[in-house]
Structures are given as C-alpha cells and as structure tokens.
Amino acid sequence: MRESTGKVLLVDDDESILRSLRRLLGASGYHVLSFQSARALLDSNETETADCIILDLGLPDSDGLHVQETLAAAGGGQSIVFLTGRGDIPASVRAMKAGAVDFLTKPVEAETLLAAVNVAHQRARSLREIEEKKASVVKRLDSLTARETQVMHLVVAGRLNKQIAADLGIMEKTIKVHRGRMMAKLGVRTVADLVRLVAVADPPDRALVPSPTTIREGDEL
C-alpha cells in the first residue's frame, strides 16, 4: 500500500457500493470516509479538508447537484466526481459546468474512477497551493503602513517617483524611502515582480494593475 495521497469522501446510500469503493481507494493510498446521506456529509467538518468527493447523483434526502451547489455556496473548493445509476445528459452537463471533475455511470471501472480521483486530487492540491500563496501575499501587504500602501498602488499604476511625490504632496526623496521599505517588506526587486505579487492578492481595483506593455522585466523599484 502506498502512503496516503489525499482524503476522499464517499457519499452513497448503498452500503455495498461504499464498501467496494472504500476498499479500492484505500488500496490506492487514499484516506477514505463514507456517508450514506447528503445531510451526514454536510453536517460533518470533513468537506473543508477533502481533496475529492465522490457523490451519488440520486441520494434519498437530496439531489447530488443540490449538494454541489450547497458546497460551492459555502465557499468550498472541493473537487467532485459524480456517480449515477443512469445516464443523465442534462445533469452531467450541469454538473460539469459547475466544476465537477467527472460524471461517471455505475458500475464504474476501477481504472476510470481512480483516474478521475487523481485528477480531482491534483486540482485540489493546486487550488490549495494558490490559496496558501495568496494568504502569504495578503499577510505581507497587511504589514505595509498606510503611506507605503499608497506608494505601492501608485507604483503598480505605473507612476514614477517624481509623479508620486506630486500626487501625494511630499518630497521625492521621501517617496524613495517609502518605496524602499515597501520593496523590502514585500520581498520584490522590480516593478514587474510587484505587479505580479499584487495580482496574486486579487485586488478589488484592477485598474491599479498596469498592462504588461507598461512594465519592463528589468525595471527597478
């Protein structure tokens, strides 16, 4: 057995299916938890740390698509693989448009299911890395003083030191000091690096981010 590669949640009202999938996924190295209803899944805290949810489309207490919508509304970034006992093209289209990894029909081949779970795991890991990077950038941005934040926004908008000084009504040499401190706190050396860093944090004012043509890779802060 391989080392655990991620957490998978199974949701199906058929215990025999759950037992079969637990055995398959457990043998492939996944940490597996199972639920026999949508409510049991949604009432648990496991969805927040799951890499993949294998979800039956026709649960007795809820439609699988509704569960998908509920998780998405709660801000969940879980990767969902749907299983269904019948072909349902409209439902599959709706599920895939809402971000499902795959829509599989029972009985499903082991290789097909494992391939879908692997895609879900890789997607979840990538999303987690993006969120961790974003949180790190936000923390650094929060460390800036109000004046350093003003200077940062104007630098990102493509303003030169003398223009920033005029905009803020302070001396250019003071701008250079604030700019240098801002650079050190954010850990960047060039304007291009700064623009990329601010973009990671997804600022609400996209106008602050200049077009690529206004930034040269070697521009120094």
Side-chain angles (χ1 to χ4, degrees):
M1 182 182 297
R2 299 180 303 178
E3 182 181 355
S4 179
T5 56
K7 181 163 72 174
V8 179
L9 307 184
L10 307 176
V11 191
D12 200 299
D13 61 321
D14 189 328
E15 177 56 36
S16 65
I17 291 178
L18 291 177
R19 185 165 53 250
S20 175
L21 294 181
R22 281 196 300 266
R23 186 181 304 114
L24 172 65
L25 293 166
S28 297
Y30 291 100
H31 173 55
V32 185
L33 297 174
S34 59
F35 305 85
Q36 288 189 291
S37 69
R39 179 46 50 195
L41 172 73
L42 296 175
D43 285 346
S44 76
N45 295 322
E46 302 296 340
T47 59
E48 298 176 5
T49 56
D51 293 298
C52 175
I53 300 176
I54 299 178
L55 182 60
D56 185 18
L57 181 64
L59 295 166
D61 61 337
S62 180
D63 178 79
L65 294 175
H66 177 68
V67 175
Q68 182 186 32
E69 292 171 356
T70 301
L71 290 171
Q78 302 87 359
S79 297
I80 295 177
V81 175
F82 277 98
L83 287 182
T84 178
R86 64 184 188 282
D88 191 329
I89 294 178
S92 66
V93 170
R94 181 178 165 190
M96 298 301 286
K97 283 185 176 181
V101 172
D102 213 333
F103 195 95
L104 306 174
T105 303
K106 301 174 185 177
V108 61
E109 294 289 336
E111 290 185 2
T112 301
L113 180 63
L114 289 174
V117 172
N118 182 59
V119 170
H121 171 63
Q122 296 301 324
R123 179 190 290 183
R125 185 170 66 176
S126 295
L127 289 173
R128 190 155 47 242
E129 289 174 352
I130 290 172
E131 287 303 312
E132 289 174 354
K133 183 177 181 180
K134 180 176 178 179
S136 175
V137 170
V138 169
K139 184 177 181 179
R140 278 183 276 170
L141 290 173
D142 287 344
S143 74
L144 301 180
T145 66
R147 181 65 83 185
E148 289 165 354
T149 300
Q150 283 182 312
V151 171
M152 180 199 70
H153 288 331
L154 291 168
V155 171
V156 170
R159 305 288 283 173
L160 301 176
N161 284 346
K162 61 182 179 181
Q163 294 171 321
I164 296 172
D167 291 339
L168 300 182
I170 56 181
M171 296 180 65
E172 184 177 348
K173 66 178 182 180
T174 304
I175 293 299
K176 290 181 180 179
V177 172
H178 288 308
R179 190 167 175 166
R181 289 173 179 168
M182 177 265 293
M183 171 190 71
K185 288 181 180 180
L186 297 182
V188 294
R189 295 186 61 254
T190 69
V191 176
D193 290 338
L194 177 62
V195 170
R196 284 191 286 268
L197 187 79
V198 173
V200 167
D202 194 24
D205 186 359
R206 279 300 184 179
L208 293 176
V209 182
S211 66
T213 58
T214 67
I215 297 298
R216 296 189 302 275
E217 187 67 29
D219 284 347
E220 293 292 331
L221 284 174

